[in-house]
Amino acid sequence: MLGLLVLAEIGYPLASGVQRARLVVVTVLVGYTVSVAHAAATRAWRAATALVLVTTGGGFAVEATGVATGFPFGPYAYGTALGPRLLGVPLVIPLAWTWMAWPAWLVAGRLTQPAQVRARPGRDRAGRAGAGRVLLAGIGLAGWDLFLDPQMVAERYWIWRSPRPTLPAVPDVPVSNYLGWLVVATVLMGLLSWSLGPDRGTGADRVMYALYLWTYVSGVLGHAVFLGLPASALWGGLAMGLVAVPLAVRLVRESTAW
C-alpha cells in the first residue's frame, strides 16, 4: 500500500486538469487507508477508531469552522475539483489530516523516547516525553502544510480571500494559515495522546517513518524541480525538516550502532 501511495504521488506532476484533481483524491484515499490500517494492525481497532475520531472528525470540524468563519486559518473557500462537499468542505480533506497525523505521531514518539526510556519508563520522564511528543508531532504535521497549501492553491483547489501577510516568495497563502495549522495540529495530537494512552512503539512503525521521510524528500524535490515552486520547497524543507532530519539522523545512527 505504501508503494501504491508513492506511485500515485510520482504521477502528480505528470497529470493535469481533471486527471490531476482525481489523482489527488486517489492519493489521499490511499494515504488514509495506509495510516488507519497501520494503526489497526499494530495497535488494534481501538487505536484506529481513536485516530479516525480525533483526526478525521476533528479535521472536518475545524475545516467546516474555518470555511464558515475564517477561524483559525483565515478566510478561504474550496472549489469543486476535489469532489463532494459537506458544509463547504470536500469530504476528502479531513482524510488528509489523518493520513499525515499518524506518521507524525509515531515519528515524534521515536524521537522523544530513547531506547532506555521505552524499556523502563519513569513516571516523570514519561510525562515530559508525552508533552514533548505532542508538541513535536504538532510541528511534524503542521510543517507538511508548507508544502501542501502552496501546491493546492496553485491548482486553485482552494483560494484565500485575504492572503496577507505571506511568507517571502510564497504568495496567495497567509501566514495565519500556517499558525492555525500549528495550533490545530498540536491540539489534535494532544487529544490523540489522551485517547491512545502510553505507546512505546513497535518495529512495524518503520513503514510510517518511511512514509514521513518520503513525504519530506518528495516535497522538497517535487516543489523545487517538477512543480515550479522553489520557495515552498525551501520553506517546507525548513519546517518539516525540523522533524524529518532528526528522524533520518536517528535512524542512521541506530542502524550503524548495530
Side-chain angles (χ1 to χ4, degrees), residues 125-141:
R125 296 180 69 184
R128 288 196 296 270
R133 180 177 185 172
V134 167
L135 178 58
L136 191 62
I139 294 171
L141 177 55

Side-chain angles (χ1 to χ4, degrees), residues 158-180:
W158 59 82
I159 58 172
W160 295 91
R161 297 192 179 97
S162 301
R164 297 293 183 274
T166 65
L167 293 174
V170 184
D172 302 325
V173 181
V175 171
S176 62
N177 170 66
Y178 306 124
L179 297 176

